Amino acid sequence: MTALTLSTAAAPGLRADAIVIGVAKGAGSRSGDLVVAPGAEAVDKAYDGKLAGVLQTLGASGAEGELTKLPAPAGFKAPIVVAVGLGAEPDAESEDAGDEGYDAEALRRAAGVAARALAGSKKAAFALPVDSPGAVGAIAEGILLGAYSFDVYKENGKDAKAKNGKAPLAEVALLGGKPRDAAHKGAVARAVAVSEELNRARDLINTPPNDLTPAAFAGIAQTAAKEHGIKAQVLDDKALAKGGYGGILGVGAGSSAAPRLVKLSYTHPKADKHLAFVGKGITYDSGGISLKPAGHNETMKCDMSGAAAVFAAVVAAARLGLEVNVTGWLALAENMPSGSATRPGDVLRMYSGKTVEVLNTDAEGRLVLADALWAASQENPDAIVDVATLTGAMMLALGSRTFGVMANDDAFRSAVHEAAEEVGEPAWPMPLPEHLRKGMESQVADIANMGERMGGGLVAGLFLREFVGEGITWAHLDIAGPAFNEGGPFGYTPKGGTGSAVRTLVRLAELTAAGDLG
């Protein structure tokens, strides 16, 4: 991953391949003008204070994500200046204006755009606004996430001279950051821990399913757990059968790659709160006997994104030393059609003891989650949050960049939504309408795994609620839209696996550790 350091060096004398600055759309009396953001004063001075005009002549507007390159002024050791748009300038003249600087997410996205554009460079200096530790952390996070690439399956791997592309930006000096300031150092350390684990989740999501089987995923989790002082327990197919985990076994029955249930336990000696995170880990989803049509299965290696997010969040919590106990449950299976596969019409006896009539084998994520949710409930945590690429219906409702949040407690749903928005992960609170429960009634079992077609994402949430222990606060994140980006990269988000929900889970753990989450 890109090496990042805080630096008090002046931009003109710094040896680098590029100097990155921020520009914005002016506010107040400067409305309509392009303005140079704080942090770039030395660069602007070298252009005799006319940098904004030069950039405007080149077509720059300051819009979010916009990037303009121009030759560095005389005397600079870096050859180019890269101006990246921050969007609207904070309006200091507004009656409602506070002491806030640029929005953290705007800084994060701008840093990501610049880092990705500088792929192939050895070193860059970022002279973006760093008026607070929060800004330092946001910029660092944007750089580390924006520079991500997945090249292990390309010729020569991540070799800088690989024929298939440029190596990620190797090193960044964050100008204006204070190397001896505890808050600034802490912000960078947090950004590194969270970004490294989020990028690990991206790697898992992008890994082809022939290499990332349930057993392989479980092995990766065990190795990471050992490295970071996390207790790992893995139930293989024999242990799952002995324990009565009918949901996970039913989904994995058609594959030669047997399912696994992984439990990762991070404990802190001073913690008095316990969070449980549960992740859907379908390492490949063909739909099973209810086979997906052509055009809908090419990206189904991403159906384990929820488990990847949970895994990454637990490891990040351990690396940050958060004063909270966090247990992660990874429900891992491969959903394939074969002579041994679960059929539509079959009835599964779940770990909770309830029976489920399987009407559609492509509604498999809720089956593996149901067993894991019940297992998590047996430890009576303070709250459970599950994460899953669960329904196409949620994508139809919220699009490809926003995940849905459902819960059995309105206040907790609001808290999860606020945490997601705080860290820059678009989310939206969704209801659990009681009238939709009737559609899952079965003549032969306690419940069916399908209900009404309309509102299918909410139906799935209602199904999962049936397997949460009584009295336990629970939330469900349906990340089907933002988990895998099939379009072009934007901000700090690459094409392919995104690591959606990792930062939300980490933030929930931080809030719980601080006593600020219920």
Side-chain angles (χ1 to χ4, degrees), residues 40-360:
E41 291 83 359
V43 181
D44 190 26
K45 183 179 179 180
Y47 285 96
D48 296 325
K50 299 177 181 179
L51 177 56
V54 172
L55 288 167
Q56 237 171 338
T57 301
L58 293 173
S61 68
E64 263 196 35
E66 182 184 75
L67 189 138
T68 308
K69 295 182 180 180
L70 70 164
F76 272 56
K77 293 185 178 179
I80 62 170
V81 170
V82 177
V84 62
L86 294 168
E89 177 190 31
D91 189 357
E93 300 172 15
S94 169
E95 293 182 2
D96 299 323
D99 296 326
E100 297 295 323
Y102 284 86
D103 176 71
E105 180 63 4
L107 293 173
R108 196 179 286 117
R109 290 175 179 171
V113 168
R116 184 171 58 255
L118 290 169
S121 301
K122 292 182 178 180
K123 184 175 181 178
F126 278 61
L128 296 173
V130 287
D131 54 0
S132 68
V136 171
I139 294 168
E141 206 171 77
I143 292 167
L144 299 173
L145 297 178
Y148 172 83
S149 67
F150 184 72
D151 302 314
V152 294
Y153 286 86
K154 295 179 179 179
E155 187 177 0
N156 298 324
K158 295 196 175 188
D159 189 322
K161 296 180 180 179
K163 297 177 182 178
N164 297 286
K166 298 177 181 178
L169 173 61
E171 183 182 350
V172 167
L174 185 51
L175 304 187
K178 302 171 184 176
R180 297 183 180 180
D181 184 281
H184 281 208
K185 289 194 296 183
V188 170
R190 180 192 182 278
V192 169
V194 174
S195 299
E196 284 185 349
E197 296 312 319
L198 192 153
N199 284 339
R200 191 207 299 258
R202 289 172 169 177
D203 283 348
L204 288 167
I205 298 164
N206 290 326
T207 298
N210 57 320
D211 282 348
L212 192 72
T213 61
F217 195 154
I220 291 168
Q222 284 179 300
T223 299
K226 185 176 181 180
E227 180 183 353
H228 296 288
I230 298 168
K231 182 179 179 181
Q233 179 184 3
V234 178
L235 300 183
D236 62 14
D237 51 328
K238 293 180 180 178
L240 291 169
K242 185 177 180 180
Y245 292 85
I248 298 175
L249 287 168
V251 172
S255 174
S256 59
R260 298 287 189 273
L261 178 62
V262 179
K263 177 184 176 184
L264 301 172
S265 303
Y266 161 67
T267 58
H268 191 285
K270 296 182 179 179
D272 58 6
K273 293 288 185 179
H274 177 198
L275 287 179
F277 297 150
V278 177
K280 172 188 173 183
I282 305 300
T283 56
Y284 183 75
D285 182 19
S286 70
I289 297 296
S290 305
L291 194 67
K292 292 179 184 292
H296 290 76
N297 48 20
E298 288 80 0
T299 61
M300 281 299 101
K301 64 181 181 180
C302 80
D303 214 19
M304 36 59 66
S305 295
V310 167
F311 168 42
V314 175
V315 177
R319 291 182 61 173
L320 295 172
L322 300 182
E323 197 170 309
V324 58
N325 295 332
V326 183
T327 304
W329 299 83
L330 317 181
L332 309 177
E334 185 177 66
N335 187 24
M336 297 290 285
S338 74
S340 60
T342 294
R343 296 153 291 222
D346 283 355
V347 174
L348 304 177
R349 185 169 297 278
M350 312 298 282
Y351 181 53
S352 69
K354 286 185 179 181
T355 54
V356 175
E357 181 183 12
V358 179
L359 298 180
N360 187 325

